[in-house]
């Protein structure tokens, strides 16, 4: 995901969560509250694709992306919209680092089992469902642009016939970040 796409996604997310004053300073029109509420209630990617909130994200993307989109591309962007609507605060930590970080105890905020289940996800709808659960455990706070990039990469890898090099796969990157954060005291 290039910086233009990340910028589009971030502005779309900001339109839902920043205050009117902050949006005015950035020159962003606030999204109607109904868009956020509808996206949050969607049970699967098909439902996400039918919402005005998804349409707003889709229409904010550069024309070459939308004009040449495949069904996998549509699902990917629906997953980005469906997950980011559950992020209330743009933090400094990516998903895996936040999940592996310690809570008040010496346990990670997200258990190894739950995080491994996310890494082992087989279908796009299951991926979105598990991702939302983890975001809830993280108090809806992760680095927005990083999460969008990770989802984009997951969908790219999910649709490939040939496996990528292990150190380039998103699940391996997540594991490394998770265990680095889990090992920190």
């Amino acid at each position: 995901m290039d910086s233009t796409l990340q910028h589009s996604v971030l502005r779309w997310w900001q339109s839902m969560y920043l205050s009117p004053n902050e949006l005015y300073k950035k020159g962003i029109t606030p999204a109607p509250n109904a868009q956020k509420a509808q996206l949050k209630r969607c049970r699967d990617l098909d439902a996400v694709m039918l919402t005005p909130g998804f349409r707003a994200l889709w229409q904010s993307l550069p024309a070459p992306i939308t004009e040449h989109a495949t069904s996998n591309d549509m699902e990917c962007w629906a997953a980005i919209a469906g997950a980011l609507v559950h992020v209330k605060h743009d933090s400094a930590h990516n998903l895996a680092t936040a999940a592996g970080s310690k809570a008040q105890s010496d346990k990670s905020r997200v258990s190894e089992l739950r995080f491994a289940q996310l890494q082992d996800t087989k279908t796009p709808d299951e991926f979105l469902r598990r991702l939302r659960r983890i975001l809830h455990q993280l108090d809806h706070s992760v680095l927005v642009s990083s999460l969008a990039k990770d989802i984009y990469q997951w969908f790219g890898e999910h649709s490939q016939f040939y496996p990528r090099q292990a150190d380039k796969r998103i699940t391996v990157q997540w594991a490394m970040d998770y265990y680095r954060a889990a090992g920190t005291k």
Side-chain angles (χ1 to χ4, degrees), residues 10 13 83-84 86-99 109 131 134-148 150-151:
L10 184 60
W13 178 84
L84 289 184
H86 289 275
V87 178
K88 294 178 184 175
H89 308 285
D90 191 13
S91 79
H93 300 291
N94 67 29
L95 176 73
T97 301
R109 293 174 70 192
L131 193 54
I134 287 175
L135 290 170
H136 179 72
Q137 284 186 276
L138 298 175
D139 298 324
H140 308 278
S141 181
V142 296
L143 184 59
V144 169
S145 58
S146 176
L147 179 59
D150 287 355
I151 295 168

Side-chain angles (χ1 to χ4, degrees), residues 40-65:
K40 284 183 175 185
R41 286 192 302 267
C42 292
R43 295 176 47 89
D44 57 25
L45 294 174
D46 289 340
V48 170
M49 286 186 245
L50 297 173
T51 65
F54 171 74
R55 188 174 339 132
L57 173 60
W58 186 254
Q59 290 174 341
S60 74
L61 299 174
I65 297 292

